[in-house]
Structure formats: structure tokens, C-alpha cells
Amino acid sequence: LNDMVLARDLLDDLGARASDLLQSNYVVWVEGPSDRIYVNYWIGKWAEENSIHLVEGIHYSIMLYGGKLLNALDASPEGSNEKLIALFRINTHFCVLMDSDRKSKYARLGKTKRRIIEECKNSNAIHWVTWGSPIENYVPANTLTTAIEAAHPGKSWKHILDERFVCPLNFKFEGTRSLTPNKIAIAKFACESGFTPLGDCAKRISSLCNSICESNGIKHRQK
């Protein structure tokens, strides 16, 4: 393993934690604010189901990198490129969540995403590429429909909501020139109503939450 990874593991063995420096022990890097809403909701559900108390800002933090800024990140343990933001130096325990942006199941991931994945592997960090195109593809169509109607009452649209590789919120409402769905408001309504996510989301969240627990020294029986 890389020397930086070995140093991180040594600090873990010594019981040194990021929270000793007023920092959460785990960082989840996400593209935008709506992603944060979904991830917090899923973590909360998992924690409740496993009778575990996980609090954002204490056990983990969620930080936004902005989709177009992904190419400014460096997830490698060396962080050798001074022009990039070294995630390992911010917190040695982290996950990078990325929209796949795929148009089909067999479409190739972009070059930057492939680089981040390899760097996460070298850092023993979690890389999470969404099962569909964006994160909203994890939300069932009926839940999205209700959330869109709640966020935009009286508005009509014609767009596919249940196609895995079609962005369900990439449209303009009928009768408008520029009004597009408010992703943040829709995420809030969807999570408030509650839903079971599609695809590999449950597996991904379980892996993420187990890592958060491990970085915080929280012991529990993994299901």
C-alpha cells in the first residue's frame, strides 16, 4: 500500500480521529445540494433500521464539489498535483459520489470519473457511481411525480420519469420558456414523503454507513 495509506491506518490504530481537530471523521463528497438531501435521508433510514445514531457534522460531513469541478479533485493518497484539491489531505476517510451520466448500461464513463475511481481505490476510499444517469434515477417515478407536483403545483410536463438512463428532471414545464424542475425542492418533498430507492442504492448506502461507523469506532452487527 501507499505510504500515505499506511500512515492513515497507523493513526487509526492509535485511535487518532479527525474529530480531535474539530472535524468529522468521515467526508462524503457529492455533486450538489439535492444529492446531500438524498444521501442524508438514506443514511438516516439505514441508521434507524440498524438502531445506530449517525449525525451529520459529528460522525460524517457532506461536502459539495459541483459537477463540473470534479476534474479539480485529486482522490489519490499522494495528492501530488498542486493544481488539484487533495481530498485525502482534507480527510483520509471519504467517499466520492458521482453521477454516471450514462446514456445506456454499457456506456463508458468519462475520463475524469475513471481517474477518480482509480485514485479512490489507491486511497482505500469509496467511489460511488450512480446506478442510473443522475442520482434522481434512484427515486421511483410515482414518488418523483408527487414531489414535482408539490414543488410546482399546477404545472404540466411530458417527460419520462422511469427510464434508468434518462435524467428525469431534465425538462421544461409546458407553457413556459425556461421553467425547469427545482431539484432541491423536489428532493425535499420526495424524502419527506419517504420511498425505497431503486437499483443498487441500498447496497451502496450500507457500504457507506459501515465505513462511517468504522471511522467513528461505532461497533454494530453488519447485516
Side-chain angles (χ1 to χ4, degrees):
L1 288 177
N2 179 279
D3 288 343
M4 292 293 289
V5 175
L6 291 173
R8 185 270 309 277
D9 292 343
L10 175 60
L11 289 173
D12 290 346
D13 291 339
L14 292 173
R17 304 191 185 281
S19 58
D20 296 336
L21 299 175
L22 303 180
Q23 183 186 128
S24 297
N25 290 321
Y26 200 95
V27 175
V28 184
W29 292 91
V30 301
E31 183 169 329
S34 58
D35 301 58
R36 174 179 170 271
I37 294 168
Y38 288 119
V39 171
N40 265 330
Y41 169 64
W42 293 328
I43 289 176
K45 280 191 65 178
W46 182 94
E48 182 179 357
E49 292 169 359
N50 288 272
S51 301
I52 293 173
H53 193 55
L54 293 179
V55 181
E56 183 185 14
I58 297 177
H59 302 106
Y60 68 95
S61 295
I62 298 180
M63 300 185 71
L64 315 183
Y65 61 79
K68 294 181 180 179
L69 297 179
L70 183 64
N71 58 6
L73 304 184
D74 181 352
S76 68
E78 299 90 353
S80 56
N81 192 331
E82 295 180 357
K83 295 181 179 180
L84 303 181
I85 301 171
L87 304 187
F88 196 92
R89 293 180 181 176
I90 295 173
N91 194 307
T92 58
H93 300 281
F94 63 92
C95 166
V96 182
L97 170 58
M98 301 171 278
D99 286 347
S100 77
D101 294 323
R102 286 186 172 120
K103 302 301 181 184
S104 71
K105 182 177 181 179
Y106 301 104
R108 186 174 172 82
L109 289 174
K111 181 179 179 181
T112 299
K113 290 182 175 67
R114 297 198 306 272
R115 172 178 65 81
I116 294 293
I117 289 172
E118 288 306 311
E119 291 173 353
C120 283
K121 289 178 180 177
N122 291 334
S123 295
N124 285 346
I126 292 179
H127 62 273
W128 176 355
V129 178
T130 56
W131 166 79
S133 184
I135 197 168
E136 285 85 6
N137 287 118
Y138 283 125
V139 186
N142 61 337
T143 302
L144 272 180
T145 299
T146 302
I148 294 171
E149 291 174 345
H152 301 276
K155 300 297 181 182
S156 300
W157 71 92
K158 291 181 179 178
H159 185 70
I160 298 172
L161 299 183
D162 59 357
E163 175 57 51
R164 176 178 171 184
F165 297 106
V166 174
C167 179
L169 301 183
N170 185 21
F171 66 87
K172 293 182 177 65
F173 289 100
E174 293 183 357
T176 69
R177 291 185 177 182
S178 59
L179 182 61
T180 58
N182 184 326
K183 291 185 177 182
I184 297 175
I186 290 168
K188 288 179 178 178
F189 279 117
C191 294
E192 286 172 3
S193 65
F195 66 93
T196 299
L198 305 173
D200 65 353
C201 189
K203 180 180 178 181
R204 293 285 194 172
I205 284 294
S206 178
S207 176
L208 172 60
C209 289
N210 281 316
S211 292
I212 293 173
C213 287
E214 184 177 351
S215 68
N216 282 278
I218 299 174
K219 296 182 179 180
H220 70 100
R221 297 181 65 180
Q222 297 186 16
K223 295 181 178 180

